[in-house]
Amino acid sequence: MRTKALLAAALAALVVAGVAFAGNGNGRARGTHYAFLGQLTSTPADGHVAVTVVCGNRPALRAMLGQSVDETFSYGDSTEFLRWQNGVPTVVSASDLAAGDYVRINLRAPRGSSLSDLEQLASPLVGDHGTTLYTPTQPLYLFRGRLTSVGDSSVTVNVGGGNARALRLMFGQSSSQTFATGDQTIFLLWQGKVPTVISLSQLKVGDRIAVRIRADKGSTLSQVESTAAVHVGDREPANASS
C-alpha cells in the first residue's frame, strides 16, 4: 500500500509540476487529457511504447478499468521524447529510453475513449523520469498570470489563476503579486510542447507565466512569496506538467 501511495503522489507531482503535451499557452488544448504513468518493459521501437502501468490521472484510470497493467501505446514522427533530470528537460530520441524507466505518456482524445482507441493514437509527448520517482515533501503552490516586471531575484505577476491551494491565499488580495526566485529556480520557455531552459533575464514582460513554489502546508501568502520558486514557466501551456 505504501508503494501505491508513493506512486500516486509521484504522478500527482508530475501532473501539476511541469511536461506540456499540447497547446501554446494562449488557449486551451482540445480533448480530454489522458496521462498514463508506467515503467518501460523495453526500449521504445517501431512506433510502440510497452509499459507496466502503475497509475494515471482520472480519465486514464477509468480507461484502465478491467484491463491488464501491461499495455502498449503508440508514438509517431511528431512525438517528442523528453528526459527530465533535476527539473531540467532534455530532448532525446526513443532509443535513449531504457527498460525500467518511468515514463509519462500523454494523450488527447474525446472523453470516454476506450483504452484500445487511446493506444492507437500517437502520443504527442513522452516524458522519461528515470528509474526513481521523486515524491515532493511539501505541497505545491501554483500561480498563473501575466508577467508585469522582472527584478534581480523576483517576478511580479498579475495573477489570474492557479491551483486551489494558491488561489485560497489570494482571497481578498491584490491580483498583482511578487514572487521570489533563487539560484535553484529553473526557468523554462515553452515553445509548443517542448520547454527550453532560460535565465531570469530572458523572461518577457507581458507573457503568461506559471510560478511553482514548494512551501509548508498552511503557509501564508507572504511566506509563500518569500520562498524561492522551484519553476517559472514562460508561455507554459494551460495543461502543463513536469
Side-chain angles (χ1 to χ4, degrees):
M1 293 296 293
R2 183 174 181 273
T3 299
K4 289 182 179 179
L6 287 174
L7 289 171
L11 179 79
L14 297 181
V15 169
V16 299
V19 177
F21 58 94
N24 57 12
N26 296 319
R28 292 181 178 274
R30 294 181 179 179
T32 297
H33 171 214
Y34 294 82
F36 298 86
L37 180 66
Q39 195 166 22
L40 287 172
T41 58
S42 61
T43 297
D46 300 324
H48 297 108
V49 183
V51 299
T52 298
V53 178
V54 294
C55 56
N57 67 358
R58 185 172 298 177
L61 291 178
R62 278 199 292 263
M64 286 291 298
L65 287 174
Q67 306 295 326
S68 168
V69 295
D70 294 319
E71 299 292 341
T72 300
F73 296 89
S74 302
Y75 69 90
D77 292 340
S78 62
T79 300
E80 294 282 359
F81 292 89
L82 287 184
R83 175 176 289 155
W84 291 83
Q85 292 180 308
N86 300 319
V88 178
T90 303
V91 177
V92 297
S93 64
S95 60
D96 292 319
L97 279 59
D101 285 359
Y102 285 98
V103 296
R104 183 173 185 266
I105 299 167
N106 299 283
L107 294 164
R108 283 224 168 253
R111 183 178 298 276
S113 294
S114 67
L115 182 61
S116 60
D117 287 340
L118 293 170
E119 291 182 338
Q120 300 304 311
L121 299 174
S123 172
L125 188 143
V126 176
D128 186 329
H129 296 270
T131 57
T132 303
L133 289 174
Y134 165 68
T135 304
T137 58
Q138 293 176 305
L140 173 71
Y141 295 83
L142 167 63
F143 300 86
R144 294 184 183 275
R146 191 77 64 179
L147 181 66
T148 57
S149 67
V150 178
D152 291 335
S153 57
S154 66
V155 292
T156 300
V157 183
N158 187 15
V159 178
N163 65 2
R165 183 174 286 108
L167 293 180
R168 279 196 294 268
L169 298 181
M170 291 294 297
F171 288 163
Q173 305 293 330
S174 169
S175 61
S176 180
Q177 297 294 328
T178 299
F179 303 94
T181 62
D183 293 339
Q184 302 303 312
T185 303
I186 295 171
F187 300 92
L188 299 177
L189 172 64
W190 294 84
Q191 296 172 300
K193 58 193 175 186
V194 179
T196 301
V197 178
I198 61 173
S199 65
L200 172 65
S201 63
Q202 290 176 286
L203 294 173
K204 294 183 183 280
V205 171
D207 280 359
R208 296 196 63 84
I209 68 168
V211 181
R212 287 176 167 81
I213 300 166
R214 292 279 176 186
D216 291 336
K217 183 178 180 180
S219 294
T220 65
L221 180 60
S222 61
Q223 288 172 329
V224 171
E225 290 183 334
S226 63
T227 302
V230 178
H231 281 83
V232 175
D234 190 346
R235 303 183 202 171
E236 181 178 297
N239 292 303
S241 62
S242 66

